[in-house]
Every structure is written in structure tokens, then in C-alpha cells.
Amino acid sequence: MMDQKTNSTTSLIRTKSDQLVETMAAALAAMKSPLSSGDAAASSGGLESSGNLSRMSSRRLAAASPGRSSGSVGKNTHIRKSRSAQMKFDLDDLNSGAALSRASSASLGFSFSFTGFTVPPDEIADLKPFSDDEIPEDLEAGRQKKKLHSEPTLPIYLKFTDVTYKVVLRGMTSTVERDILNGITGSVDPGEVLALMGPSGSGKTTLLSILGGRVREPAPGGSITYNDQPYSKCLKSRIGFVTQDDVLFPHLTVKETLSYAARLRLPRTLTKEEKDQRATDVICELGLERCQDTMIGGSFVRGVSGGERKRVCIGNEIIINPSLLFLDEPTSGLDSTTALRIVDTLHEIAEAGKTVITTIHQPSSRLFLKFDKLILLGKGSLLYYGKASEAMVYFSSIGCSPLIAMNPAEFMLDLANGNVTDISVPSELEDKVQMGDPEAEIKNGKPAPAVVHEYLVETYETRVAEIEKKKIMNPIPVDEEIKSKVCSTKREWGASWCEQYSILFRRGLKERRHDYFSWLRITQVLATATILGLLWWQSGSDNPNELQDQAGLLFFIAVFWGFFPVFTAIFTFPQERAMLSKERAADMYRLSAYFVARTTSDLPLDLILPVLFLLVVYFMAGLRMNAGSFFLTIVTVFLCIIAAQGLGLAIGATLMDLKKATTLASVTVMTFMLAGGYFVKNVPVFISWLRYLSFNYHTYKLLLKVQYEHISHSINGVRIDNGYKEVGVLATMVVGYRLLAYLSLRRMKLHPGA
């Protein structure tokens, strides 16, 4: 029985192997004499029966293959490799069974375990026609993507020497000066990726912000040059800065986000179509085609994944083809595969002649090995600067080596924190511990973190620092003409003022239409209108003495549409502060264009809900049945809304703190309501001026005029005038409150160096 089974198995193995050999022989013969379309069809039909088993085996074993990833990427790569592998073999080797076996293995991308032999991995590797670098893949999306094309860009050599930064902490009784950075020195050239690494609070983000020109006050110490030139505002158009937080509008799609950025930031010499095409190219370069029509999303809005959102942020910056690209922890919160994809993207950007600087918190070993240069910080001091690949050699040379297998980044972060668990201790520190130095010993017999930190800083300064400073002093390989381009004094905008206004206006409409037309807000307005209509059902009359109740309805309308916009508008600038700061720091638009677009884009949306409200209340309550009166009522309410909205904008822009702004707005609106002329008729003289500041008072008087001027000149103790004064005061409030809000934004200096 055993012999029969063995013979059967051997027969099956030979049958499968023979089928594979026949398949390869036929394929190579077909390549030697190209077939016509009809012959090709016949040939494929003839091979169908003999190739079925081979294809079924391929499908079964592909899932267990240790080679390329499965899915659509693996399939496409497999097809390309199999064809190229078939073409690589010389026809003279067909008589060799070993050659055919290797050809079959290479064409299928794995070893045949069922044939009883295994092709060595180095032989398979030799037969691969393409390297991984030649087939860029979107590891997250599972599809191939276009390689980042190399555009001509101004090469910038960044050098920084003895960079220091201090902040002043003011307490109730004393003032303390704290050092954030202590003498950081380094450089990075075009085509390189510099990683800033260190534990939390070590000064990574502060150093990145200083190098990117984002910190101007208090002024940092030391020397920072860009092609041997100091920082100037014109460098903003050559710098891309990706913040740690993904600051994006949640209701815009990926394509809309990048298109608006292209229209605002790219030079005026390009047409709108060319700018949109640039946005499309960036989408393809970053592998975002699959999600280009998906909303970005946010806390309460479903959208793209974290890796895709981070790539959109990178796309926002590389869309202008920057010479310098700064990124603050671009891999935080991402899985290892997505993080690797982000770092690969940074390398592709650097290969296009750009200078890339990024902070990194705790990279995997694969990520760490991809960086060209490394700066290791600890408590604001420099612990290492040099090639990332030589960092472990340096720390070994000073007596610090891992005692167990350890991720290099994890090892260095432990050192930066002063944690020497599972790390060999230098002899100098061991001597301190053995001598019983109380400052150098802790419970487990290891040196204290402060002592380890001091040793690392002193060792770097004595062994490496001076050598690196001398290297940085070497002249850069750039002629004077390129150097002069860095310090050009002309500040150029990507669009004219009118174009900026138009783009921001459309963007604002698209972003906020979801908030304005949410079912909750519409239900709130319609429910309030219905309740008011039922309470004042057909309360109209031509008798002045019977209009007391209906006058109360008009006052409530004035209060409601004064209260509602104020508490909506106070959130405008505090909530958009991060976005405004980010975009203004990149010189995307003028502050005046943003402010006018932001305040006017709300007006069409602000008009719709009041119209729905009045359509319900006006006819249910039986107000004056006249087309002119109806439209004048709408205009009066709309004037009240934009005046109240201006007050909310002014309070929000002045305080920039939601709690303080809400408290001040509550007190102000309540005061205006009480002084509105309905609750108190005889106001004391010394405080009677307060009512003239109340938009509720002027709106109430205008509504009384529109409804009852044909009946009486005084309703409920309020005299009805011609209304011009009230309109003028409300118009002044509309302009005055907004001017105050704009000046407050100017005074706040939302971005450093504005």
C-alpha cells in the first residue's frame, strides 16, 4: 500500500512538473515566433487544458507566498514579473530541467513545495526583472500610483548653528526664564531627509518651527541661514509646513481641498485650468485617486482614513513645489505600514531636489533606517547630529550599547530620557555609582537620568560638536545668482484680492452649508415659528388698544433674531483660528480678503431660515396682509440679523476664547433685550442712552412701523417715526461691529511674523 501511494504521489508530482515544463516551453516558443491574433487565440485554446492545474496551484499557493503582497498590487506585479522572467531565459537552456524549474518558479513568484525541491531565494531574486523601487505602490490603498515627478526647484541649503530659545513664564509673584533649546547645530542639503528625534518635551517642534520661520517672538538665538542668507518673508512661498494636527475643512472633499489650495497658492501666471491640473497631479502622485471625491471628515463626520488625511496635508504643501518641506510628526497615530508609506513619500519628495526636515517621535526600525540625517534631542540639548546610519556606531564608541536586541530609535529615546535599563553603562558612570556618589545612584544601582543626560551632552560637545561646526562652515556649492533668489524683496500673492475673495467665498459656502441646513437647526426654527403662530393665532386687529399682544410677538421676533445670530457668530473665529493661522502663515491670502469673504458667505445662508420662519409666523399670526409689509418685515429682520452677527464676530475675534466670549455675549444680549423698549417704558435719564446701542430696540421700532403705521403713531408706549434713523443706526452697527472684529484679528497677529 505504501509503495502504491508513493508511486501515485510521484506520478502526480511528475505530471504537474511536466505540465509546467510544457507550459513554459509553449510560452517561450510563442515569444520566439510571434503569433497573429488568430493564431494566438488558437494557441491559448490548445494550452487551456494543460494549464488549468498549473493556474489552480498558483492561486492556492499565492496566498501562502512569502514574496510580494497579494491583492490587486500583487496580481499586477506578478503579471509583469512573469512576462519579464519568461523573456530573460535563453532558448538554448530549454533542454535543462533545472533551468525550466527555475523559470517556472520565477514566473510564479514562489517556491514549489509540492515538487520536492526549493529554489534558493538568491536565484529567484536574480531573476526578478523589477525592483520594489521601480514599482511604486500605494500600500494603504492597494494600488499602483504615479511616481512623484521631479520639478525644477530652487535648491536651498539649510544651516543652523548654536540655536537657542528661551521663554518667560510669568507667575503671580515672580517671573521665570526657561531654556527650551540649548545650542543646537546642524545642516541639511537638498535631496536629504533630516529627522528630529527625542522624547516628549525635548524641543523638537520648537526647533522645527524656528527653522521654518514660524517663531519670531521672542527671537531665537544663534544663526540660521538659507543658502547663506537670513530668513525673509519672501521665503514663505518656498517653504511648506505640515503641522502635527491635520487642520482641514471636514466637509470639503480631497479634490476640493487641494484645488482651492492650488488656486490660492500657485503663481498668477498659471490659469485656473493649469492650477486644477496641478491639484489632480498631486492627487495621483500621493495615491489619493480612490478617495478624491470623499469628504475629509472630522470628529463627527465620516471621511477619509488617517493616512489619507495626512497625505492630503502633505499635498497641500507640495502643491507649490517648495524648496523646503517641514513636517511635525507626520507618522503619529498611523500604523507601521501607513507610516512607512508616508516616509517613502518624503524620500520621493527629497529626491526631486527638495530639502525635507521632519520630527519623529518613536519610529519603527524600518522607518529609522530610511532617514539620511538625525538630530537627537534631550531636554533641549543636542545629544547627536550626523548620519542616521552611523548613530549606533557613535553611541557604541562612547560606551552605550543595547544589551538585548532593540529598535535603534527605542534605544536612543531611552538614552535621551536617561533610562539605561538593558543598556551598557560607560565606565565613567560606573565609577560614579561604585564610589557611592548620591547624585549618580538610584535604587536599582543605575546612574540617575540627570547624570546620564549630562554625560551624553558633554561627550557630544567634546568629541563631535566642533568637528560638525567646521563642516557646516564650508561654503555651499551654489552660485551667487541662486543665493540672491532666496532674499528677493518682492512679496507675491498667488491670486489677486478679488480672486482670493471669490475662491474663499465659494469655499465658505461649500463648507458651511452642512451646518446651516442641518435637520436640528431647521427643526428648531420651524418648531419655534409654529409655537409662536399658535400662541398668536390670528391676533391682528385695526384697533390700537387690541394690538398689545401682537406687539409682544414683534418684540420676540426682534429678540429671537438678535439672540440667535450672536451665539452662532461668536464661534466663527475661535473655531477657525487654527486654519486661519496655518493658511496666513503660508501667505495663502490677505486677511482682508478672508474676512470679507467669511462674513459675506454667511449672508445667503442667513437669509433662508428667517424667510422660512416668517412664512409660518406671519400668516398664522395674522400680521398685515400686504406684500410690501411682508417683504419689509423680511428686510428688517435681515438687517437685525447681520447687525447681531457683527456683534458676535467682534466679541469672538476680540476674546478668541469661547467661554469668555459666551459669557460676555450673554450679558450683552440680555442688556440689549431689557433696554429694547418693551419691558421698561420710562428708563432713567442717566442710563437711557443704553437703548440706542440695542439692535433689539431699533428692530422693534421698525417692525412696529411696518405693521401699524397706518393705524397709530404710537403702539404700546413706543413712538413710530419715519424709520430712517433706525435703519441708519442698524447699518452703522453692521459696519462698525465688523470693523472692530477685523481690527481685533489684525491685533491678534494670528501667525508669527505676519
Side-chain angles (χ1 to χ4, degrees):
M1 287 296 291
M2 291 296 295
D3 293 339
Q4 291 178 358
K5 286 184 179 180
T6 304
N7 294 334
S8 176
T9 303
T10 305
S11 175
L12 178 60
I13 291 173
R14 288 174 178 171
T15 301
K16 293 180 179 179
S17 300
D18 292 340
Q19 288 174 346
L20 287 170
V21 171
E22 291 170 5
T23 302
M24 278 302 303
L28 289 168
M31 284 187 289
K32 187 173 182 180
S33 57
L35 298 172
S36 64
S37 59
D39 295 338
S43 177
S44 62
L47 291 172
E48 183 176 359
S49 59
S50 63
N52 281 340
L53 182 57
S54 175
R55 287 193 293 270
M56 290 174 63
S57 302
S58 300
R59 285 195 294 268
R60 285 197 300 268
L61 292 173
S65 172
R68 307 283 295 175
S69 60
S70 61
S72 61
V73 175
K75 183 178 179 181
N76 293 338
T77 309
H78 160 68
I79 292 172
R80 294 179 64 183
K81 287 186 176 181
S82 62
R83 290 175 181 170
S84 299
Q86 290 169 356
M87 294 175 68
K88 272 187 90 164
F89 285 96
D90 194 340
L91 296 176
D92 296 333
D93 292 337
L94 287 177
N95 295 327
S96 171
L100 282 173
S101 299
R102 288 196 298 271
S104 304
S105 300
S107 67
L108 293 174
F110 53 81
S111 301
F112 290 98
S113 59
F114 60 80
T115 59
F117 64 88
T118 302
V119 179
D122 55 342
E123 291 190 28
I124 296 178
D126 293 339
L127 302 178
K128 288 184 179 179
F130 297 107
S131 67
D132 291 345
D133 295 334
E134 292 172 330
I135 310 175
E137 299 169 358
D138 183 347
L139 298 179
E140 186 180 21
R143 60 188 299 173
Q144 292 184 3
K145 71 177 189 63
K146 292 171 63 177
K147 196 172 181 67
L148 283 165
H149 60 274
S150 175
E151 295 184 6
T153 184
L154 178 69
I156 292 184
Y157 292 78
L158 174 61
K159 296 181 179 181
F160 46 99
T161 308
D162 294 326
V163 175
T164 60
Y165 187 70
K166 300 179 180 181
V167 294
V168 177
L169 304 176
R170 290 183 171 83
M172 297 294 294
T173 57
S174 62
T175 300
V176 180
E177 193 174 63
R178 180 182 175 188
D179 293 332
I180 305 299
L181 296 173
N182 300 307
I184 309 301
T185 298
S187 68
V188 57
D189 300 339
E192 292 181 339
V193 179
L194 169 65
L196 309 179
M197 197 170 73
S200 298
S202 60
K204 302 188 300 294
T205 300
T206 301
L207 178 59
L208 189 78
S209 300
I210 291 173
L211 298 179
R214 298 298 179 103
V215 177
R216 312 306 300 171
E217 294 178 2
S223 170
I224 303 174
T225 61
Y226 309 80
N227 284 357
D228 291 338
Q229 303 293 328
Y231 178 84
S232 61
K233 286 187 177 181
C234 64
L235 270 172
K236 288 182 179 181
S237 61
R238 302 190 184 279
I239 291 178
F241 199 104
V242 181
T243 58
Q244 183 174 351
D245 299 322
D246 301 332
V247 184
L248 299 166
F249 285 114
H251 292 104
L252 295 182
T253 65
V254 170
K255 189 172 185 178
E256 288 171 345
T257 299
L258 294 176
S259 295
Y260 286 131
R263 295 175 194 175
L264 287 168
R265 301 187 69 179
L266 291 178
R268 296 192 205 182
T269 53
L270 300 179
T271 64
K272 177 185 174 183
E273 291 73 21
E274 290 173 332
K275 292 182 178 182
D276 289 343
Q277 182 58 46
R278 173 61 180 144
T280 303
D281 291 342
V282 170
I283 288 173
C284 296
E285 290 165 4
L286 296 176
L288 295 170
E289 305 102 309
R290 186 184 65 172
C291 61
Q292 62 180 331
D293 296 319
T294 305
M295 285 196 301
I296 297 295
S299 301
F300 305 103
V301 182
R302 294 186 65 181
V304 297
S305 68
E308 291 167 338
R309 187 180 291 112
K310 183 61 69 176
R311 278 184 277 165
V312 173
C313 292
I314 296 175
N316 256 334
E317 302 304 322
I318 68 171
I319 204 166
I320 61 169
N321 189 30
S323 299
L324 282 165
L325 181 62
F326 296 89
L327 304 100
D328 191 6
E329 297 195 14
T331 61
S332 294
L334 303 179
D335 60 85
S336 59
T337 301
T338 307
L340 180 64
R341 184 69 198 94
I342 295 293
V343 174
D344 284 338
T345 301
L346 298 184
H347 265 281
E348 292 173 8
I349 294 171
E351 287 171 1
K354 298 170 177 57
T355 306
V356 180
I357 304 98
T358 178
T359 62
I360 200 81
H361 186 60
Q362 189 169 355
S364 65
S365 55
R366 289 193 301 174
L367 260 63
F368 178 80
L369 295 174
K370 285 184 173 289
F371 296 121
D372 299 307
K373 288 184 177 179
L374 173 69
I375 284 182
L376 180 63
L377 298 175
K379 298 180 181 179
S381 299
L382 187 59
L383 305 183
Y384 175 79
Y385 162 69
K387 293 182 179 180
S389 58
E390 298 176 359
M392 294 297 291
V393 177
Y394 164 75
F395 285 109
S396 296
S397 68
I398 65 173
C400 297
S401 301
L403 298 177
I404 61 174
M406 190 180 295
N407 178 356
E410 185 179 353
F411 162 73
M412 293 181 202
L413 288 175
D414 281 347
L415 279 180
N417 279 312
N419 178 16
V420 290
T421 304
D422 298 325
I423 297 175
S424 62
V425 179
S427 57
E428 294 92 331
L429 296 181
E430 284 182 345
D431 292 342
K432 289 185 178 182
V433 174
Q434 292 172 1
M435 291 172 61
D437 188 344
E439 295 182 357
E441 188 175 359
I442 56 177
K443 292 182 180 179
N444 61 358
K446 294 286 186 179
V451 176
V452 175
H453 173 77
E454 182 181 354
Y455 170 76
L456 293 174
V457 173
E458 290 179 355
T459 305
Y460 179 81
E461 289 179 350
T462 55
R463 295 195 181 189
V464 183
E466 292 303 322
I467 299 175
E468 293 297 338
K469 285 182 181 179
K470 290 179 180 178
K471 289 181 181 179
I472 292 174
M473 297 304 293
N474 295 332
I476 61 175
V478 173
D479 56 30
E480 293 299 324
E481 182 182 354
I482 294 180
K483 288 183 181 180
S484 63
K485 290 182 180 180
V486 174
C487 55
S488 173
T489 56
K490 189 175 181 181
R491 190 181 189 184
E492 296 182 356
W493 298 98
S496 65
W497 192 95
C498 293
E499 289 172 338
Q500 289 176 3
Y501 168 79
S502 175
I503 295 168
L504 294 170
F505 182 87
R506 290 196 301 271
R507 189 181 75 172
L509 282 179
K510 285 189 176 182
E511 169 60 24
R512 287 183 293 281
R513 66 172 183 253
H514 301 277
D515 294 332
Y516 275 87
F517 299 119
S518 65
W519 66 269
L520 187 62
R521 180 170 291 199
I522 294 174
T523 302
Q524 177 187 12
V525 170
L526 292 180
T528 303
T530 303
I531 293 172
L532 292 177
L534 293 174
L535 291 175
W536 275 275
W537 178 263
Q538 299 299 320
S539 57
S541 174
D542 292 335
N543 187 348
N545 297 325
E546 297 178 0
L547 296 177
Q548 299 285 338
D549 287 346
Q550 200 172 70
L553 171 63
L554 298 179
F555 182 76
F556 181 85
I557 292 174
V559 170
F560 181 76
W561 288 109
F563 177 91
F564 198 68
V566 167
F567 286 92
T568 301
I570 59 174
F571 292 92
T572 300
F573 295 123
Q575 285 185 339
E576 291 191 7
R577 183 176 187 176
M579 178 65 74
L580 181 60
S581 177
K582 168 194 163 186
E583 294 182 337
R584 285 282 292 145
D587 267 2
M588 285 183 68
Y589 44 72
R590 296 173 176 85
L591 182 61
S592 57
Y594 164 80
F595 182 82
V596 176
R598 182 65 182 86
T599 54
T600 55
S601 63
D602 287 338
L603 299 183
L605 302 173
D606 284 333
L607 183 59
I608 295 174
L609 289 180
V611 170
L612 294 177
F613 177 88
L614 289 174
L615 282 173
V616 175
V617 172
Y618 200 91
F619 299 103
M620 289 182 68
L623 295 175
R624 189 177 180 184
M625 293 299 171
N626 181 286
S629 299
F630 176 73
F631 287 109
L632 283 175
T633 301
I634 292 178
V635 171
T636 301
V637 171
F638 187 54
L639 197 58
C640 173
I641 288 172
I642 57 178
Q645 190 182 63
L647 175 63
L649 292 173
I651 293 175
T654 302
L655 299 178
M656 278 294 179
D657 183 274
L658 288 179
K659 287 186 177 180
K660 295 178 181 178
T662 304
T663 302
L664 180 59
S666 301
V667 174
T668 305
V669 169
M670 182 183 66
T671 303
F672 284 178
M673 180 184 68
L674 295 176
Y678 183 79
F679 296 109
V680 183
K681 304 298 186 297
N682 300 316
V683 180
V685 178
F686 64 87
I687 202 175
S688 60
W689 55 269
L690 196 59
R691 65 171 52 181
Y692 298 106
L693 299 178
S694 170
F695 45 76
N696 300 130
Y697 173 72
H698 300 292
T699 304
Y700 179 48
K701 288 189 68 174
L702 283 176
L703 290 176
L704 291 177
K705 172 181 169 49
V706 170
Q707 295 296 324
Y708 308 130
E709 64 176 347
H710 65 292
I711 299 177
S712 175
H713 296 291
S714 178
I715 300 294
N716 201 22
V718 178
R719 181 172 177 173
I720 298 177
D721 300 322
N722 57 18
Y724 292 119
K725 182 177 70 175
E726 286 76 17
V727 171
V729 172
L730 287 175
T732 302
M733 290 181 180
V734 170
V735 177
Y737 285 140
R738 282 168 169 75
L739 181 61
L740 176 61
Y742 177 73
L743 294 176
S744 297
L745 288 181
R746 275 287 178 200
R747 181 183 57 82
M748 287 292 293
K749 273 199 168 183
L750 293 174
H751 68 282

